[in-house]
Amino acid sequence: MRKSLVALSVLAASLSAATNAADYTDGNIHKNDYKWSQFNLMYAFDELPGESSHDYLEMEFGGRSGIFDLYGYVDIFNLTGSPDSDKASADPKMFMKFSPRVSLDALTHSDLSFGPVQELYIASELTWDGVTTNADKGTFGVNNYKVGLGSDVNVPWLGKIGLNLYKTYDMNAKDWNGYQISTNWFKPFYTLDNGSFVSYQGYIDYQFGMNDDNKALNTANGGAMFNGIYWHSDRYAVGYGLKAYQDVYGLKDGGWAGKTSGISHYVSVTYKF
């Protein structure tokens, strides 16, 4: 049971199922295939930008099939329809992220690993909330497409992490705008007698080299770091997360977008399929 729990949670962190360097020289590109999905009922306290506190339902999923590695989620805000929610009158009612990667190792039937780098990818990411960016209306849309180079890297203590470097295309401005470096990790660090365990899991998204001509709205760099402590069983998870922001999305703290730097808190209950 303990081994299956660790494997399940590593999948939920959207990392490869393999624990060693990928080697597809045998031509079997489906030997590491897997898939997973789960529903997370969450509540955010003082989420930035805007210091919004609200409930939401998140469908999270991912897997591996041949050359393709996928992670994604869809968030639905104010699930209860409460008129008192910070999201009740907000323009975005949902947010989604899809992060497909194409394995260069599997694509070329080879082993491209070197040093701590276990596998290389063509990486992409789509983030979308359907809202346009309009300073006159006071709206900001997170509608971006990113493409670049991805990797799985083995680091001390944390083990395997995903590490991706993207160039960003702003779909609102219809122009390329800076870069993003992203990493994610999942580290079980305490196992209970019944096989369930506690993990440290999270991610960093940091943008840089962005257009900051509009000094009242933008900065050249910014990002966020999520740090979560979660209890996991085969079917359930319960967790707390602390998220730190610095000019998140390249929005200037105290500018037109309001507060964009600081700390927010999250709690969640998960059911795994």
Side-chain angles (χ1 to χ4, degrees), residues 97 125 166 180-183 203-207 222-225:
K97 175 188 284 188
E125 179 184 285
Y166 307 102
Q180 177 174 302
I181 187 167
S182 298
T183 184
Y203 62 86
I204 297 173
D205 290 329
Y206 188 77
Q207 301 89 29
M225 178 182 186

Side-chain angles (χ1 to χ4, degrees), residues 83-122:
D84 298 323
S85 170
D86 289 350
K87 292 293 186 181
S89 59
D91 283 330
K93 300 301 182 184
M94 63 173 292
F95 178 82
M96 67 180 187
K97 175 188 284 188
F98 298 141
S99 301
R101 303 191 298 177
V102 175
S103 168
L104 294 175
D105 297 66
L107 188 65
T108 59
H109 291 190
S110 59
D111 179 1
L112 302 177
S113 64
F114 59 94
V117 178
Q118 299 183 357
E119 191 165 359
L120 294 175
Y121 302 86
I122 298 172

Side-chain angles (χ1 to χ4, degrees), residues 48-51 134-136 138-140 212 214-219 246-248 250-261:
L48 300 180
E51 296 182 283
N134 189 314
D136 294 333
T139 59
F140 173 76
D212 61 348
N214 187 342
K215 302 296 184 183
L217 179 63
N218 300 119
T219 61
Q246 178 193 344
D247 297 320
V248 66
L251 297 172
K252 182 179 180 180
D253 186 41
W256 286 352
K259 183 176 176 61
T260 63
S261 297

Side-chain angles (χ1 to χ4, degrees), residues 158-179:
L158 285 177
K160 182 182 290 186
I161 66 170
L163 181 63
N164 306 308
L165 176 63
Y166 307 102
K167 187 171 178 60
T168 301
Y169 183 77
D170 186 332
M171 289 188 283
N172 288 322
K174 304 296 188 295
D175 197 9
W176 294 96
N177 184 20
Y179 303 86

